[in-house]
């Protein structure tokens, strides 16, 4: 099949066909007696594969690489491209997440921004010792804050140990993020930590929601909450937050405590308990 006929059948110009040949995308080896290129049916099939891949927006250089690596058949090529695209999307999503993380912290100074980026880079290390130094060595809380945010999206026993260390951090935001992350991972011993966050008013709504998730597996949740309500050092504002947290805790124990709080000396606490009971259908 001569180049003119191929052009008529495929709609590809003769000039483009010659360009494809120069790139090695299609290489008709047969020649007519007059020395003209003679495209075989196999050449035509490969040409149609090139056009199909090109219609997907792939650059010719990428198509040439695919063909050179001997990927057989258009469906196989497309399957490989799907896999490569997914990998690229995942990498781009991770890059976007890390960029947003840095941007969210809004470091104002160039030196601080560089320190944040360096910490995030070290936290991706496969060496646990490097990750630990990166998470804990930075003295500036504005640098450690994006570190704990990144750690919450990572898995592994080493990461959990780092989060446990950061759960005692002096910075309120870092400490609360680490406690919430550990609670979501089902780490034991988080109930007192979550109750402490509610008392302090640190992300108390999120802490209460997690308490509600942990309560079915921990019968002591309501008892510990009741002790804090009765403690002499618990402020009125903290008592109110603790009562509000009972709205998230299922079961008869929470309802019994709410019923008892209806007669509380603090009218706001009593009114809140009554409202929650009504919402639960027991008021």
């Amino acid at each position: 099949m001569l180049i003119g006929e191929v052009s008529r059948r495929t709609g590809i110009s003769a000039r483009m066909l010659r360009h494809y040949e120069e790139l090695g995308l299609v290489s008709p080896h047969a020649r007519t007696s007059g020395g003209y290129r003679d495209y075989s049916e196999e050449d035509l099939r490969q040409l149609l594969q090139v056009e199909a891949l090109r219609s997907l927006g792939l650059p010719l250089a990428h198509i040439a690489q695919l063909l050179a690596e001997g990927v057989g058949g258009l469906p196989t090529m497309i399957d490989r491209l799907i896999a490569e695209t997914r990998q690229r999307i995942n990498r781009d999503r991770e890059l976007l997440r890390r960029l947003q993380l840095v941007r969210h912290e809004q470091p104002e100074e160039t030196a601080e921004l560089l320190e944040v980026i360096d910490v995030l880079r070290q936290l991706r290390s496969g060496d646990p010792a490097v990750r630990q130094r990166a998470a804990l060595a930075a003295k500036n809380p504005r640098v450690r804050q994006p570190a704990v945010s990144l750690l919450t999206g990572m898995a592994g026993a080493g990461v959990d140990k780092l989060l446990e260390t950061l759960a005692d951090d002096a910075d309120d935001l870092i400490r609360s993020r680490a406690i919430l992350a550990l609670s979501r991972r089902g780490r034991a011993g988080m109930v007192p930590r979550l109750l402490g966050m509610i008392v302090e008013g640190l992300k108390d709504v999120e802490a209460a929601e997690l308490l509600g998730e942990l309560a079915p597996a921990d019968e002591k949740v309501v008892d510990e909450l009741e002790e804090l309500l009765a403690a002499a050092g618990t402020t009125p504002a903290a008592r109110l937050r603790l009562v509000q947290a009972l709205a998230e805790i299922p079961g008869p124990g929470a309802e019994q405590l709410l019923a008892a709080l209806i007669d509380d000396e603090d009218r706001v606490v009593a009114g809140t308990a009554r409202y929650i009971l009504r919402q639960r259908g027991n008021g």
Side-chain angles (χ1 to χ4, degrees), residues 40-233:
S40 65
E41 289 296 329
E42 181 59 32
D43 293 330
L44 188 59
R45 278 194 294 271
Q46 183 160 326
L47 180 60
L48 293 175
Q49 285 186 350
V50 171
E51 283 296 288
L53 294 171
R54 187 183 174 205
S55 70
L56 297 174
L58 292 177
L60 292 178
H62 194 169
I63 296 173
Q65 180 183 355
L66 284 172
L67 295 174
E69 292 175 358
V71 180
L74 184 58
T76 305
M77 287 185 183
I78 292 177
D79 287 343
R80 174 179 170 178
L81 290 171
I82 289 172
E84 290 178 353
T85 302
R86 283 175 175 162
Q87 291 175 0
R88 185 170 63 254
I89 289 173
N90 289 336
R91 289 194 299 269
D92 288 346
R93 282 176 177 166
E94 175 63 15
L95 174 60
L96 177 61
R97 189 176 76 88
R98 291 158 69 182
L99 289 172
Q100 288 174 330
L101 187 61
V102 173
R103 184 65 183 89
H104 176 71
E105 301 301 333
Q106 298 181 344
E108 298 176 358
E109 301 295 334
T110 301
E112 184 178 321
L113 174 59
L114 292 175
E115 188 176 0
V116 170
I117 293 173
D118 185 54
V119 167
L120 295 181
R121 178 184 61 78
Q122 292 182 63
L123 284 172
R124 304 301 298 179
S125 171
D127 186 342
V130 173
R131 292 199 303 267
Q132 183 171 7
R133 285 197 301 270
L136 304 178
K139 296 181 179 180
N140 187 345
R142 287 172 59 85
V143 176
R144 295 201 311 280
Q145 285 170 9
V148 71
S149 296
L150 182 60
L151 285 171
T152 59
M154 298 170 65
V159 174
D160 286 358
K161 289 181 180 179
L162 279 175
L163 287 171
E164 288 173 357
T165 301
L166 291 169
D168 294 317
D169 197 275
D171 183 82
D172 289 345
L173 182 57
I174 293 172
R175 186 171 68 256
S176 60
R177 284 179 177 176
I179 293 171
L180 292 173
L182 289 167
S183 300
R184 294 189 184 100
R185 292 165 185 244
R187 300 292 288 186
M190 287 296 109
V191 167
R193 299 274 199 160
L194 292 171
L195 287 170
M197 287 176 58
I198 294 171
V199 169
E200 294 180 63
L202 295 174
K203 296 186 178 293
D204 52 288
V205 174
E206 293 178 57
E209 290 174 349
L210 283 168
L211 268 180
E213 295 176 12
L214 296 175
D218 191 337
E219 298 177 354
K220 296 181 180 179
V221 170
V222 175
D223 292 339
E224 293 182 34
L225 195 152
E226 185 176 8
E227 288 179 9
L228 284 171
L229 280 166

